[in-house]
Amino acid sequence: MTTIKTPASDVSEMLERSRECAASDEFYAIPENQAGERQIALLLFVLTCAYLSLFRRYTTMDPDEGIVLQGAQRILQGQVLYRDFFSFFTPGSYYLLALLFKIFGDSFLVARTGLVLFGGAYSVVTYLLARRVCTRGSALLVAAIVSLTTLPYRFLVLHNWDSTLWASLALYCAIRWVESPRWKWALATGSFASLTFLFEQSKGAGLWLGLAVGFLANAWTGWRQQGQLSGCRAKQLLGFTLGFVWPLLITCAYFGVQHSLRAMLADWFWPLQHYSMANRVPYGYQNWSDSARHLLFETGPWWARVLTVVILSPCLLIPALPVIAIGILVYWFVLGRHRRGPREKCAYYVLICAALSGLLLSVVIVRADIVHFMYLQPLFGLVLAWIVDGRDIPGPWFRSMKSTVTAYVAVAFLGLAIPLIMRALNAPEKLVTRRGVIAVPKKDTVIDYVQAHVSPGETVLVYPYLPLYYYLTGTFAPTRYEYLQPGMNTPQQSLEMISELASGRVQVVLFESSFWEKIPNSWPGTPLSAIAHDPVADYILWSFRTCKLLQSPSDWQFEFMVRKDSECR
C-alpha cells in the first residue's frame, strides 16, 4: 500500500480552509450580549445624529414636505384628522409631529430634529441586525452607508421616514423573539408592526404579510424547539396579538369618539382607487427628466461621465437588493427544510428576507421609484451587508471578487454621499420664515413676499401643490385639502375647492403656473384629460388676477393673485 505524503504547507492550508468553512457555517452572534458591541451601537447613534444635524435647516421647498407639517398645525388648532381635513394615509405622523410641537415648540427645526433621531436609530438597527451574521467591519460599513445616504437623499418631514423606523424596530424585535422566545419580544413585535401600519398603511400591510410568511416558513422547516420560534406557543402568540391590537383599538376608539371613524376608513382606502394611477412608474424609476439625463450621461469628458455612472450606480443597485432577498429567502428555506444549514441562520435569513419581500410588495403597489426604495434602505441595506461580507454566499467565485465588491460599494456610496452633504453645507441663501431660519440653494421670493403682504393665520390657497409654503408662512388652506393635484384627486374634490373659492372667503391665491411642466417626469401616469382640463385652475384664472411673479429655490414659477375686484397688496 502506497502512502501519499502531503507537504506541511498544504496541510496547514487545508486546516485553515476547514476552520474558515466551519466558522462561516456556525457564526451567529447576538451583539447585544457584548458590552463592546453595545458601545459601538451607542457611538454609531451619536455620530449619525451629529452628521444628520448638518441637514436640519436645508430645504429645496419640496412639495411633499408640508403635508404632515401643516396637518400638525390643524391638530394643534383643535381640528380632527379625516373629519376636518383630508389625508390618504394613516394618522400616526400627524399626531406624533403635533405632540413634538406641543412639547418642544412649533418650528421647522424641531420637526427636522426628529428626523435626526430617526436616522440615528436606523443606523443602529441596521448594524445590530447585520452583525449577527457579518463581521464587524462589514456591518459597520453598511451602517455607515445608511447614515451617509439614506436620510440625506431626501431629508424631509414625511410619513415615510417614521413608518420606516417602526418597521425597522418591528423586524428587530421579531429577530429577538426568534432568538429569545419571550412574551415581551412577541408583544413588541406586534406593537411596532401595528404602529407601522398606523403611520403608513401600505408599508404596514406589507410588513404584516412578510412577517407572517417568515414565521410560517420557519415553522414549516421545523425549527421550533431549542429557542427557535417557540414564540408559536400560546403565551407568545397572545403577546403578539395584544401588541398588534392595542394601537388599532386606541386609534379606532379616538376617531369613533370624534365621529370620524367612517371618514377615516374611507380615506385609508382612498389611494387604492385614486393614488396609484398617477404614481404608476417602471420599477426603479429614477425621476430624471430628459434634459437631466442628457446633462448627466451625454455631456462632458469621458472620465466625468464614468465618474457620474459610478456615483449614481447605487440608485440602480438599491432597487435590486429586495429582489436578491427573494432569492436568498428561497435558498435558506430549502436549506432549513432539508436540515442542511445552522438553524439560527436559517431562521434569521428566512424571517428577514420574507419581511423584505413583503415591504417590496408595498413599494411596487404604491410607487416603485428610487425614492420609495430609499425610504426602506435601512432594511434593504441588510442584503448589501450580506453581499459585502460574503461568508454565506455559496461558491468559491465570490471570494475572489469580495475585495473588488467591497471597494466598489465603499467608493460608490461615498461618491453619492458627498454631493448630498455639500449642497446642504454650501447653501448660499438664508431665509427668515415664521417657523424659523432655513437654508435654500437659491433665492426664494415667494416667502418674503407672502410674509410681507399676508398676515399670520390668514387663509390663502397654494395651488396646486406646495403645502410647505402654508407652514413656513404661518397661513392656512381654505379647504380640507393641503393640496389638490390634477389626475390624483377626484372631480368631486375639485368641485368642493371651487365652491370654497366662490364663497369669497379666499382673497389670495399662490398659483404655480409651471406645475404642469413637472407632471410628465414626476407623475407620468397622470391621465392626459386631467392635464388638458383642470377646473380649479380654470376658475382661478377666471376669477383672480396676477399681482406679482415669484420664484421658488427650484425655479418653479408662482403668481401671487388676488380677486379681480380687489386691489393688489
Side-chain angles (χ1 to χ4, degrees):
M1 183 175 181
T2 303
T3 303
I4 300 176
K5 294 184 179 181
T6 304
S9 60
D10 291 345
V11 172
S12 175
E13 183 179 351
M14 290 171 61
L15 290 174
E16 181 64 26
R17 287 182 179 177
S18 177
R19 284 192 292 268
E20 288 179 0
C21 291
S24 175
D25 289 340
E26 297 173 4
F27 176 81
Y28 187 87
I30 301 180
E32 295 86 348
N33 294 341
Q34 304 175 34
E37 296 290 354
R38 294 195 297 269
Q39 292 168 1
I40 289 174
L42 178 60
L43 180 61
L44 184 61
F45 178 83
V46 172
L47 292 177
T48 300
C49 289
Y51 172 73
L52 294 178
S53 295
L54 302 174
F55 294 85
R56 289 186 303 165
R57 294 189 185 276
Y58 177 77
T59 179
T60 59
M61 299 296 174
D62 190 283
D64 290 339
E65 186 163 24
I67 299 173
V68 175
L69 288 166
Q70 195 62 13
Q73 301 308 302
R74 290 178 179 259
I75 292 171
L76 291 176
Q77 283 196 331
Q79 295 187 36
V80 176
L81 179 60
Y82 309 121
R83 186 192 71 188
D84 300 319
F85 63 102
F86 172 80
S87 174
F88 58 79
F89 48 86
T90 37
S93 299
Y94 290 107
Y95 285 88
L96 176 61
L97 189 57
L99 179 63
L100 291 178
F101 285 157
K102 190 73 173 179
I103 297 173
F104 300 105
D106 189 354
S107 74
F108 189 68
L109 201 59
V110 167
R112 287 294 192 87
T113 301
L115 288 182
V116 170
L117 299 177
F118 294 168
Y122 294 158
S123 301
V124 171
V125 172
T126 300
Y127 174 77
L128 292 176
L129 288 177
R131 184 70 179 93
R132 283 164 158 74
V133 296
C134 299
T135 63
R136 181 177 296 165
S138 299
L140 277 175
L141 173 61
V142 174
I145 286 173
V146 169
S147 301
L148 293 173
T149 61
T150 300
L151 264 167
Y153 189 84
R154 205 161 191 243
F155 201 90
L156 310 176
V157 180
L158 294 166
H159 63 287
N160 307 86
W161 291 125
D162 40 21
S163 59
T164 293
L165 174 63
W166 307 130
S168 300
L169 293 175
L171 186 54
Y172 172 78
C173 292
I175 291 296
R176 296 294 283 150
W177 181 14
V178 168
E179 296 165 344
S180 177
R182 297 179 181 176
W183 189 82
K184 66 177 184 179
W185 291 118
L187 177 68
T189 301
S191 298
F192 286 124
S194 188
L195 286 172
T196 304
F197 178 85
L198 289 175
F199 279 72
E200 185 184 332
Q201 62 268 46
S202 61
K203 194 178 296 180
L207 179 66
W208 291 355
L209 176 62
L211 289 177
V213 170
F215 278 113
L216 289 174
N218 275 325
W220 195 12
T221 63
W223 302 125
R224 300 186 184 185
Q225 304 301 323
Q226 301 179 12
Q228 301 300 320
L229 292 173
S230 55
C232 293
R233 298 169 185 169
K235 187 175 181 180
Q236 280 76 41
L237 285 178
L238 176 61
F240 176 80
T241 303
L242 289 176
F244 181 81
V245 167
W246 73 260
L248 296 173
L249 286 180
I250 291 176
T251 301
C252 291
Y254 170 77
F255 286 105
V257 169
Q258 300 296 332
H259 307 290
S260 58
L261 183 59
R262 180 177 296 181
M264 176 190 78
L265 296 175
D267 285 5
W268 285 7
F269 288 99
W270 185 88
L272 295 176
Q273 297 176 317
H274 307 289
Y275 179 84
S276 298
M277 179 179 292
N279 286 278
R280 189 176 295 120
V281 295
Y283 188 89
Y285 185 67
Q286 299 295 319
N287 298 315
W288 292 329
S289 64
D290 291 338
S291 58
R293 194 177 295 108
H294 173 76
L295 181 64
L296 289 171
F297 303 112
E298 299 176 12
T299 59
W302 68 267
W303 60 266
R305 282 179 278 174
V306 171
L307 182 61
T308 299
V309 170
V310 173
I311 291 174
L312 294 178
S313 62
C315 297
L316 303 176
L317 173 61
I318 292 169
L321 295 177
V323 177
I324 296 172
I326 296 175
I328 296 174
L329 169 63
V330 174
Y331 173 77
W332 282 97
F333 174 76
V334 172
L335 286 185
R337 185 64 178 163
H338 293 89
R339 308 294 198 275
R340 294 177 183 172
R343 61 177 55 139
E344 293 89 353
K345 281 192 174 183
C346 286
Y348 168 89
Y349 279 114
V350 167
L351 183 57
I352 288 183
C353 290
L356 297 186
S357 301
L359 291 170
L360 171 62
L361 180 62
S362 72
V363 173
V364 171
I365 290 175
V366 173
R367 182 180 170 98
D369 67 347
I370 180 58
V371 172
H372 284 77
F373 284 103
M374 290 298 297
Y375 292 145
L376 286 163
Q377 190 186 3
L379 294 177
F380 292 157
L382 292 172
V383 182
L384 188 62
W386 304 335
I387 294 173
V388 168
D389 189 76
R391 70 173 64 207
D392 291 328
I393 297 179
W397 63 272
F398 186 80
R399 292 187 180 182
S400 63
M401 300 175 56
K402 182 177 179 299
S403 298
T404 303
V405 171
T406 302
Y408 157 72
V409 168
V411 170
F413 279 91
L414 179 62
L416 179 64
I418 289 174
L420 300 177
I421 183 62
M422 293 304 296
R423 69 178 185 178
L425 292 178
N426 297 327
E429 299 288 338
K430 297 293 187 292
L431 187 60
V432 179
T433 76
R434 289 168 179 161
R435 306 295 186 186
V437 179
I438 61 175
V440 290
K442 291 183 180 179
K443 187 174 180 60
D444 182 288
T445 59
V446 178
I447 289 180
D448 284 341
Y449 192 87
V450 171
Q451 291 183 155
H453 297 85
V454 178
S455 303
E458 189 173 340
T459 297
V460 301
L461 174 64
V462 180
Y463 187 82
Y465 189 9
L466 215 159
L468 185 57
Y469 278 141
Y470 289 129
Y471 178 74
L472 293 175
T473 61
T475 56
F476 287 88
T479 68
R480 300 175 62 246
Y481 310 99
E482 306 303 344
Y483 73 94
L484 195 147
Q485 182 175 323
M488 185 181 300
N489 292 84
T490 66
Q492 180 61 37
Q493 291 170 331
S494 296
L495 292 175
E496 187 178 336
M497 181 169 284
I498 292 173
S499 176
E500 185 65 33
L501 291 172
S503 69
R505 193 166 68 93
V506 181
Q507 297 297 316
V508 173
V509 171
L510 271 178
F511 180 69
E512 185 182 355
S513 55
S514 61
F515 180 81
W516 283 260
E517 300 172 6
K518 297 184 286 188
I519 288 180
N521 294 314
S522 298
W523 302 279
T526 302
L528 293 177
S529 58
I531 302 175
H533 175 62
D534 178 6
V536 177
D538 293 342
Y539 184 86
I540 290 172
L541 294 174
W542 178 263
S543 303
F544 291 78
R545 61 190 182 94
T546 301
C547 294
K548 185 74 174 179
L549 296 177
L550 306 170
Q551 186 169 299
S552 79
S554 298
D555 294 329
W556 298 330
Q557 305 299 316
F558 284 82
E559 299 178 29
F560 186 91
M561 307 180 76
V562 299
R563 291 190 172 276
K564 287 186 175 180
D565 57 357
S566 301
E567 296 292 330
C568 286
R569 301 191 182 191

